[in-house]
Amino acid sequence: SRLSMASESVATLPKNAPIPDEEVIYDRKNNKKLVISYDSDDDGEIYKETREYRIERVRVSTAVAKRKAWKKFGESSTDPAGPNPTHTYPGEIVNIQYLQNKLAETAGKASAEEEKAKPKQAVTCRTCKGAHFSLQCPYRQI
């Protein structure tokens, strides 16, 4: 499943109050996740931040599914399953095209145009590269 941000709101609480823990509320009926977190600024004012996510189910390839089953390691070894918002931000997929690939594509297009200019043989002999079957080649040794 994938989370997509639906809305975000911020409210203030009284100054110098203890900061409550983050709350996560799942609404499986409506496929929503509500995250309520608290943060304080330099003045001691506490802000309540409410984020609402829409949960989407996405089919992934077998390789991706296997990677998701891997055990976490390093600093994330104690994290629960799924992405940690302090380490991972679910964002948009960005497609990157590298310059080397672009140069190879333009070179490939030029060679493809040259190949189109040549007439193709339907049958090619393995022995002499002629336009006949290998079985019928006059240069074949028995």
Side-chain angles (χ1 to χ4, degrees), residues 6-23:
S7 66
E8 184 174 316
S9 65
V10 177
T12 59
L13 297 175
K15 285 186 177 185
N16 298 324
I19 298 176
D21 292 334
E22 185 177 89
E23 294 178 57

Side-chain angles (χ1 to χ4, degrees), residues 6-68:
S7 66
E8 184 174 316
S9 65
V10 177
T12 59
L13 297 175
K15 285 186 177 185
N16 298 324
I19 298 176
D21 292 334
E22 185 177 89
E23 294 178 57
V24 180
I25 302 167
Y26 289 99
D27 183 9
R28 302 235 184 250
K29 184 178 178 185
N30 297 323
N31 291 329
K32 301 276 184 185
K33 175 184 174 182
L34 190 67
V35 179
I36 303 169
S37 59
Y38 300 89
D39 196 19
S40 64
D41 62 1
D42 296 336
D43 299 334
E45 244 180 288
I46 298 176
Y47 293 94
K48 175 183 175 183
E49 183 178 12
T50 306
R51 290 175 289 179
E52 186 178 275
Y53 295 95
R54 184 177 63 246
I55 301 172
E56 301 172 351
R57 293 188 65 82
V58 179
R59 293 186 79 126
V60 295
S61 66
T62 307
V64 173
K66 287 180 182 176
R67 274 199 309 273
K68 286 185 176 185

Side-chain angles (χ1 to χ4, degrees), residues 108-120:
K109 288 180 184 176
S111 64
E113 291 173 2
E114 293 172 3
E115 290 177 7
K116 287 181 183 177
K118 295 180 189 177
K120 291 187 176 182

Side-chain angles (χ1 to χ4, degrees), residues 69-88:
W70 286 354
K71 181 183 170 195
K72 293 195 176 187
F73 57 92
E75 293 179 8
S76 299
S77 61
T78 58
D79 291 347
N84 185 345
T86 58
H87 300 238
T88 308

